Amino acid sequence: QWCQEFNGAAGSPDTTVWNFDLGNNGGWGNGEVEVYCGPPGYPGNPSQCPTTFSTSTAPVYIDGSGHLVIQPRNVGGTWISGRMQTEGKQTFTYGILVASIQLPNTTNQGLWPAFWTLGSNINTVPWPTCGEADIMENWSPQVLSGPGPGGNSSTIHTAKTGGSGIGQRYTFPSGEAADTAFHTYGIVWAQNEMQFYVDNASSPFFTVTPSSLPSGDTWPFNQGIFTILNVALGGTLGGSTSGLSNPQPLL
């Protein structure tokens, strides 16, 4: 139905396809420290964001070799990063939603990358009742036993499960890691069922249905969703950024 391969010359992602969330927004509800930037000239870009394009200064760009890059950068003591999403531009309902991603190293604290979804009705049905599905979420084992490079965390958030959600942890086979190679992170999604997988769609590690939810909860995943890619810094799961310098990008 829809595909983004991030081909073409080095430059900014296509703003007809992607929206860019901007600024710090009070820590995005999680105490995060980053300031999100759109491409140069994006309406409302914060003052910390680059005004001209360069792969050496952009926090989010296409590298000219077939990759999207989200590269957190420290600018005068402020971390800038990217959070791009398809709200109002591409809505998904059922099927397979997947991304091929090589993550930064999350052994130490500071970074909190994610590939996730929100219900398209979020503006009329507030979070978490609109539903959130975190397909890939990664953070340091030093913070609340995060998966780090050796694994992946997938979680759904619903009206009654709230910020804690219901989730499952995937562990990579010996010799594999999130930060040393590309892995596919996806959901196989049908009515009343979401199956989360890493690399092998026929072998999900986490399956949820309405019966997985607490009594009286509402299953929010039989409606349209939009997708989000970001690298947050600090906050509830990112932890301290005090030891962070020149982190690897998300590719």
Side-chain angles (χ1 to χ4, degrees), residues 12-27:
S12 298
D14 186 349
T15 55
T16 67
V17 176
W18 298 97
N19 306 306
F20 292 83
D21 290 326
L22 302 176
N24 178 260
N25 194 30

Side-chain angles (χ1 to χ4, degrees), residues 96-185:
I96 297 176
L97 179 61
V98 62
S100 175
I101 304 173
Q102 181 170 311
L103 289 177
N105 186 328
T106 55
T107 301
N108 297 316
Q109 297 184 46
L111 300 177
W112 181 4
F115 166 48
W116 51 299
T117 73
L118 287 168
S120 295
N121 61 349
I122 189 170
N123 292 321
T124 54
V125 179
W127 185 91
T129 307
C130 66
E132 173 182 332
D134 302 321
I135 302 169
M136 179 283 296
E137 191 172 24
N138 201 295
W139 67 96
S140 171
Q142 298 170 13
V143 182
L144 298 173
S145 302
N152 176 60
S153 186
S154 291
T155 310
I156 62 164
H157 300 270
T158 61
K160 290 218 166 179
T161 61
S164 298
I166 298 171
Q168 197 69 257
R169 184 69 51 86
Y170 173 88
T171 301
F172 283 106
S174 178
E176 297 183 21
D179 64 323
T180 56
F182 282 87
H183 294 279
T184 55
Y185 301 88

